[in-house]
Amino acid sequence: MTKTKIILLVLVSIFTASQKIKAQDWPNLEKYKSANEKLESPKSDENRVVFMGNSITESWPKKFFHGKPYVNRGISGQTTPQMLLRFRQDVINLRPKVVLILAGTNDIAKNTGPITLEEIRDNILSMVELAKANNITPVVCSVLPAYDYPWREEKLQPNIKIPKLNGMLKSMAANQKVPYLDYFSEMADDRNGLPKELTTDEVHLTPKGYAILGKMAEAQIAKVLKR
């Protein structure tokens, strides 16, 4: 066997092993496992808030969280079934008073395969029910506007599907008697997308976009805690 073939076999073996590990940890529980273990239990007067989400949450500027009892548990690219699988580890076990759930756009983008709007809604509903059962107030966040997904060749029409999903999420939140945080109405342009000044690529946010998110999130958190 030639040296080139040996190197190729080694590379294939490494790639296969890495893919196997990824498949075994589909929800990416390892991402925050160590950080969760290091995080102390909240003090009796601490109003801990967990932000559960995807890249929109993970990429939130760190200065927003600095000095506050806010815990960022966003993972880029994740869909609602993945978040549901890690909800106990990354939310419930951290014993917050509030959790903001911002999810759904990657489902519409088919990041983990085909899924209906009803199934997306139901996954978020399951997270809401888990939070309520553990004395955590869930805040259901609307999916942010997106005119298109630049990483998908297939035209998935998020500008049409996201408003439909948000209507379902708003109704679900009302039925569950939990807050609904409507980012979409505040940020959408006339295409049901994000204005240029708020986005880098039709999906992810600029600092100006995060300024809007932060202001709305903190107002909602204060309202919940006041109760």
Side-chain angles (χ1 to χ4, degrees):
M1 186 179 292
T2 66
K3 186 176 180 180
T4 301
K5 286 185 177 179
I6 293 173
I7 292 172
L8 284 172
L9 285 172
V10 170
L11 290 173
V12 169
S13 178
I14 292 171
F15 176 78
T16 303
S18 67
Q19 290 299 102
K20 184 178 180 181
I21 291 170
K22 185 177 180 180
Q24 289 173 341
D25 187 17
W26 186 68
N28 203 350
L29 294 170
E30 285 294 318
K31 170 81 172 181
Y32 292 112
K33 186 176 181 180
S34 178
N36 290 342
E37 291 171 351
K38 294 175 182 176
L39 188 65
E40 295 181 358
S41 296
K43 297 179 176 64
S44 58
D45 61 345
E46 180 181 332
N47 293 321
R48 179 172 292 175
V49 180
V50 173
F51 288 69
M52 168 60 85
N54 48 47
S55 59
I56 303 297
T57 298
E58 185 177 11
S59 299
W60 210 311
K62 292 182 179 179
K63 64 181 181 180
F64 174 77
F65 294 83
H66 184 70
K68 303 169 188 174
Y70 296 169
V71 182
N72 188 324
R73 289 297 179 263
I75 297 182
S76 179
Q78 281 215 327
T79 57
T80 56
Q82 291 174 304
M83 292 183 207
L84 181 56
L85 285 172
R86 66 183 179 90
F87 197 80
R88 181 168 298 279
Q89 173 186 286
D90 290 345
V91 178
I92 295 171
N93 290 352
L94 305 186
R95 297 169 56 196
K97 290 186 178 178
V98 184
V99 58
L100 273 70
I101 305 169
L102 176 54
T105 197
N106 287 327
D107 300 69
I108 292 173
K110 297 184 178 181
N111 279 21
T112 51
I115 187 170
T116 67
L117 299 183
E118 289 78 13
E119 288 167 341
I120 300 169
R121 185 269 321 277
D122 288 348
N123 286 334
I124 296 174
L125 171 59
S126 292
M127 288 186 260
V128 166
E129 291 174 335
L130 282 169
K132 290 171 67 176
N134 286 276
N135 299 312
I136 302 166
T137 300
V139 176
V140 177
C141 301
S142 72
V143 180
L144 269 60
Y147 181 71
D148 197 10
Y149 298 124
W151 63 91
R152 288 281 183 241
E153 291 185 6
E154 180 184 1
K155 297 300 180 183
L156 296 172
Q157 299 183 308
N159 61 317
I160 296 172
K161 294 174 183 175
I162 288 174
K164 290 181 181 179
L165 175 59
N166 283 338
M168 296 164 67
L169 294 178
K170 186 175 182 179
S171 296
M172 179 268 284
N175 291 336
Q176 290 292 313
K177 296 181 172 57
V178 301
Y180 175 73
L181 182 51
D182 190 1
Y183 292 134
F184 185 94
S185 296
E186 186 69 21
M187 303 178 80
D189 61 16
D190 57 8
R191 309 168 303 146
N192 281 340
L194 285 165
K196 288 183 178 180
E197 65 270 20
L198 300 184
T199 183
T200 59
D201 61 357
E202 291 285 6
V203 177
H204 299 95
L205 299 178
T206 62
K208 188 173 182 179
Y210 276 112
I212 295 172
L213 243 61
K215 184 178 179 180
M216 294 182 70
E218 295 210 293
Q220 183 65 71
I221 290 166
K223 189 175 180 180
V224 169
L225 294 175
K226 192 175 180 180
R227 296 177 184 174

